[in-house]
Amino acid sequence: MAQLAYWEAIRRAHDEEMTNDPLVFAMGEDIGVAGGTYKATSGLYTKYGAERVIDTPISENSYTGIGIGASMVGMRPIIEIMSINFALLALDTIVNAAAKIRYMSGGRVHCPLVIRTPGGTAHQLAAQHSARLARMFMSTSGLRVVTPRGPIDAYGMLKSAVRCNDPVVIIEHERMYNIKEEMPDTEFFRPLEGAEIVRKGEDITLIGYNYSVHLCLEAAKRLEKDGVSAEVVDLRSLKPIDRETIRRSVEKTHRVVVAEEDEAPVGVGAEIITGIMEDCFFALDSQPVRIHAADVPVPYNAQLEKAAIPSADDVYQGALKVLGKI
Amino acid sequence: MTDADKKRLLREMIFFRRFEDRTFEAYMERKIGGFLHLYSGQEAVATGVLEMAKMGGGDKADYVITGYRDHVHALKAGAPAREVMAELYGKETGSSRGRGGSMHIFDPTANFMGGYALVGQPFPLAAGLALGCKHKKTNQIAICFLGDGANNQGTFHETMNMASVWNLPVLFVCENNMYAIGTHIDRSTAVRDQYKRVCGYNMKASQHDGMDIDVVMKAAKTAVDYVRKESKPYFIEFMTYRFRGHSMSDAKGYRTKEEEAEWEKRDPINIYKARLIEAGLITDADVKKMQDDVQNEIETDIIKFAEQSPEPKVAELTRYVLDDNPDPRWIGPLQNKY
């Protein structure tokens, strides 16, 4: 066992998969010689060379398309898009090509590629570096979308994504790259599907994904001091969503808060709560609440930025509201 | 090239023309839906270029990719005509199992990696196919056919740059028919000669007559050999003309009858036919027989196959969205302990 940071876990997964399979390669802006903006590919250029750790020009749509083309002939690309905002430039190749090629070829051609991108708000990066677009990718047929909350999933899900035959979008988070976890030294995989109960509880279910799982965990600690036992569910996969795990938890606790860092309209919370209404409406003892970002472009000013995105206190207050305590 | 090869090429072009004309008829009978973009007039380009490449599928043959005007490229690459027609009919036996339609013909067994309806999208995909070939050291190349209209997309410039920087074995074939849908090239594009547009990317490029298959083959051979031997990209432009509209809904109101008549005088099938007759390889009667045979084959075999094939099952609507048979080790689901 060793303590690994999130970025180190991603690097380890790259390293193992590239050693395991010569068809695996990485590409992205500054990932090679410079080692990656978040260090997630550091050292790999020296080890595997320029042809397997490819520094791309700033051409998101076409280098993603090149990755897709390579995946169609059996390669296993891991593409890093430096910020999810830039993934908007690559939407044509991600949404119109990668997500649809298997279907429109009648299952005859597949695109086993992985796209990794940080998609959250952090450290006053302002409107054009702080987009949260999980809700957009999770509404696209033909993609898998996963959101590892910590190093264990970041490592194990990346390894699974490389080996799976579908296009997988992995949404990371700028504020999670230095989160540490104890990890086994031996190789392991984490499945791409299935929500995880990361804290057991009886009185209320707090549902998060990506960074918002940590907000839920913090809120659960505060609730414990109030004598409330909160269960925390990490969605892990936004496409497909594990409705079964959500239903079981809600049927147990009868109360639910969904915490998302995305803006609310047409968002993750809307989707999860609709699922709960459809699956276990009569299990609810109280109205569900979603905690979400304000419907504004993310401001630069630190105080305004803080106000624009949800905090652990927001999740805590949401839980109190569901519990009828405020 | 033997005399038999020359006669085969003429028959292929006649076949491709009749295939497209027949899809037009089926479209009018509403047996084919969606959008239908026909290749009539441009046959010498796909036929000539791919004649000079390695076809037949497998890890020795080259990869082909194109836009939505894709039937003939697929056929010449080796996709069975029955399956292409069945695809247009939306049948389960179609090359994309009825899920793709006219604009999305795929046949990976022929290394035909698809027709795409986003103009310019195949540029990077083609470079990716080439990157895969280079990485695997298979000596295969990728051949990307697109029209002049595609060159005004960002993917054109982004991909030319990366293909050149990374020395990717990809041949970009520009079929310049001078119209981007219904807008003339002089009204949309700063230069008519498209091969000049790649000079900023340190890439070999040339321009040729696209109506004479002998000219096409000679130029294509040079380009294909260069791409394969040097493992570098090449941009080759052919001046050509589509005899029909952009798609079925196109009344061709944007071009003159005189212009159409001028280009029809340079029909690639007539040019090649006249050359073979003049060389004494073939007679008018032989050509007539060829046309009758083609017509007969399309009617009694290909159309019949498409019409008699089953529709996809509605119960299989969501098949092929993701891997239908995934390995649970990678996919899960994660087992929670309740």
Side-chain angles (χ1 to χ4, degrees):
Chain A
M1 296 288 274
Q3 281 259 335
L4 280 194
Y6 198 98
W7 67 267
E8 291 172 310
I10 295 169
R11 185 180 65 177
R12 180 181 154 191
H14 273 92
D15 192 4
E16 289 177 7
E17 291 306 298
M18 290 179 72
T19 296
N20 173 66
D21 182 354
L23 298 178
V24 177
F25 71 99
M27 68 194 303
E29 293 157 7
D30 271 9
I31 68 158
V33 173
T37 305
Y38 299 100
K39 298 189 285 186
T41 52
S42 56
L44 300 177
Y45 180 88
T46 315
K47 185 167 178 183
Y48 296 100
E51 294 198 346
R52 292 187 70 196
V53 184
I54 302 174
D55 280 316
T56 66
I58 302 169
S59 305
E60 286 84 3
N61 196 34
S62 294
Y63 73 66
T64 303
I66 288 175
I68 294 166
S71 78
M72 290 162 68
V73 293
M75 302 292 289
R76 298 264 163 178
I78 308 173
I79 297 171
E80 177 177 298
I81 297 181
M82 196 185 278
S83 157
I84 205 165
N85 297 262
F86 312 159
L88 289 170
L89 288 156
L91 275 190
D92 173 49
T93 46
I94 299 172
V95 176
N96 283 321
K100 294 177 173 54
I101 283 172
R102 180 198 296 280
Y103 196 83
M104 67 186 188
S105 69
R108 300 181 81 192
V109 177
H110 63 241
C111 301
L113 88 155
V114 181
I115 295 168
R116 299 177 34 247
T117 183
T121 55
H123 322 305
Q124 294 182 266
L125 297 179
Q128 292 190 332
H129 276 72
S130 304
R132 289 119 305 139
L133 299 171
R135 63 198 186 283
M136 192 181 62
F137 289 110
M138 71 188 278
S139 66
T140 300
S141 280
L143 294 181
R144 291 183 173 279
V145 183
V146 298
T147 53
R149 73 171 181 278
I152 288 174
D153 263 353
Y155 163 85
M157 289 174 100
L158 174 54
K159 285 176 70 77
S160 294
V162 169
R163 299 194 184 204
C164 139
N165 291 327
D166 301 317
V168 182
V169 177
I170 302 181
I171 301 178
E172 299 165 359
H173 196 294
E174 291 84 343
R175 276 182 289 164
M176 292 200 300
Y177 286 111
N178 289 314
I179 288 179
K180 289 188 173 169
E181 262 175 356
E182 284 281 330
M183 271 177 56
D185 300 324
T186 50
E187 181 179 53
F188 65 93
F189 296 85
R190 295 278 289 166
L192 298 171
E193 287 187 12
E196 184 174 19
I197 295 167
V198 292
R199 187 185 205 277
K200 286 207 173 219
E202 303 296 326
D203 304 326
I204 187 167
T205 300
L206 310 179
I207 300 176
Y209 60 95
N210 197 309
Y211 189 73
S212 72
V213 177
H214 300 282
L215 305 182
C216 292
L217 286 168
E218 211 178 310
K221 276 189 208 160
R222 281 181 67 185
L223 288 165
E224 194 174 11
K225 287 179 192 156
D226 298 343
V228 175
S229 162
E231 178 146 301
V232 176
V233 176
D234 175 6
L235 293 172
R236 295 181 73 254
S237 165
L238 296 180
K239 189 163 190 72
I241 289 169
D242 176 6
R243 288 169 66 150
E244 178 64 13
T245 296
I246 297 167
R247 181 184 63 77
R248 287 197 194 206
S249 180
V250 173
E251 284 181 346
K252 179 172 69 175
T253 65
H254 310 291
R255 293 175 179 84
V256 65
V257 173
V258 183
E260 59 187 318
E261 201 181 302
D262 281 43
E263 295 98 325
V266 203
V268 183
E271 181 59 33
I272 298 298
I273 289 171
T274 302
I276 291 167
M277 295 298 155
E278 289 174 339
D279 294 346
C280 51
F281 177 77
F282 292 105
L284 289 171
D285 282 350
S286 175
Q287 85 285 13
V289 161
R290 54 185 171 163
I291 301 302
H292 52 82
D295 195 6
V296 293
V298 175
Y300 165 70
N301 173 276
Q303 202 174 312
L304 291 178
E305 183 193 53
K306 199 172 164 214
I309 56 175
S311 65
D313 185 57
D314 293 333
V315 180
Y316 173 72
Q317 297 296 334
L320 293 184
K321 187 176 167 196
V322 173
L323 291 159
K325 293 180 189 264
I326 49 171
Chain B
M1 176 158 287
T2 66
D3 291 349
D5 284 332
K6 291 176 184 170
K7 284 189 241 181
R8 174 180 53 80
L9 282 178
L10 178 63
R11 189 187 193 279
E12 282 179 5
M13 288 201 289
I14 289 171
F15 181 93
F16 297 150
R17 178 72 56 86
R18 179 60 201 153
F19 186 95
E20 294 290 68
D21 287 349
R22 188 62 184 81
T23 67
F24 176 85
E25 292 163 26
Y27 191 86
M28 289 315 195
E29 294 165 17
R30 295 179 183 272
K31 288 181 175 168
I32 295 174
F35 285 128
L36 187 70
H37 308 83
L38 302 182
Y39 193 61
S40 307
Q42 302 182 206
E43 291 91 344
V45 181
T47 313
V49 170
L50 295 183
E51 183 69 19
M52 294 296 107
K54 291 181 185 169
M55 293 292 99
D59 60 8
K60 300 278 189 291
D62 298 326
Y63 287 101
V64 181
I65 191 166
T66 187
Y68 43 78
R69 201 179 302 284
D70 59 351
H71 312 160
V72 172
H73 304 83
L75 293 170
K76 179 63 182 170
R82 279 177 158 202
E83 294 181 17
V84 176
M85 189 64 84
E87 186 59 33
L88 303 182
Y89 274 66
K91 298 297 182 72
E92 182 66 26
T93 54
S95 26
S96 300
R97 312 303 180 230
R99 272 72 168 179
S102 165
M103 299 187 284
H104 309 303
I105 306 291
F106 282 79
D107 190 345
T109 62
N111 289 1
F112 182 74
M113 303 311 277
Y116 297 82
L118 276 297
V119 176
Q121 190 182 68
F123 284 127
L125 302 188
L129 300 172
L131 186 140
C133 295
K134 188 180 174 102
H135 185 90
K136 293 195 274 183
K137 299 187 169 60
T138 53
N139 209 29
Q140 295 164 286
I141 70 170
I143 302 175
C144 175
F145 290 88
L146 285 173
D148 48 295
N151 301 345
N152 289 328
Q153 290 279 21
T155 50
F156 168 81
H157 298 279
E158 294 180 353
T159 304
M160 293 307 134
N161 179 51
M162 283 184 275
S164 184
V165 170
W166 297 337
N167 294 321
L168 299 180
V170 52
L171 174 62
F172 297 105
V173 182
C174 175
E175 304 194 47
N176 188 346
N177 64 22
M178 296 186 303
Y179 288 90
I181 316 176
T183 300
H184 190 270
I185 191 165
D186 293 345
R187 298 180 56 235
S188 67
T189 307
V191 286
R192 190 183 277 200
D193 296 331
Q194 297 300 294
Y195 76 102
K196 292 178 181 169
R197 299 179 74 182
V198 300
C199 68
Y201 299 111
N202 191 26
M203 189 189 300
K204 274 212 173 200
S206 56
Q207 184 191 55
H208 312 273
D209 176 13
M211 302 306 261
D212 183 336
I213 192 169
D214 282 329
V215 173
V216 172
M217 286 193 290
K218 186 163 181 282
K221 171 128 183 47
T222 305
V224 165
D225 289 351
Y226 171 86
V227 171
R228 198 183 313 281
K229 191 158 168 281
E230 305 292 327
S231 186
K232 281 184 182 171
Y234 191 112
F235 184 94
I236 194 165
E237 177 184 12
F238 292 106
M239 302 308 288
T240 185
Y241 201 75
R242 64 169 148 72
F243 290 169
R244 292 188 180 274
H246 168 74
S247 71
M248 291 299 96
S249 57
D250 177 354
K252 298 189 288 184
Y254 48 82
R255 58 189 203 190
T256 63
K257 292 274 174 279
E258 292 73 24
E259 180 184 292
E260 292 183 358
E262 276 307 303
W263 279 94
E264 277 162 17
K265 284 185 201 157
R266 304 211 61 244
D267 184 323
I269 295 176
N270 290 341
I271 288 175
Y272 200 53
K273 182 175 76 179
R275 189 167 299 146
L276 298 197
I277 289 174
E278 198 180 308
L281 291 180
I282 203 165
T283 64
D284 276 323
D286 294 334
V287 175
K288 176 77 174 61
K289 182 168 185 315
M290 218 178 243
Q291 285 166 332
D292 290 346
D293 287 350
V294 161
Q295 176 124 353
N296 189 45
E297 181 189 341
I298 289 175
E299 233 32 65
T300 60
D301 183 50
I302 293 161
I303 289 286
K304 194 174 161 199
F305 177 80
E307 296 206 336
Q308 293 180 351
S309 287
E311 304 268 348
K313 295 189 183 83
V314 173
E316 294 191 344
L317 173 67
T318 58
R319 199 175 166 194
Y320 310 131
V321 175
L322 294 174
D323 190 351
D324 294 311
N325 193 19
D327 187 328
R329 284 178 297 171
W330 326 135
I331 302 303
L334 186 77
Q335 299 298 320
N336 283 291
K337 294 182 187 74
Y338 294 98

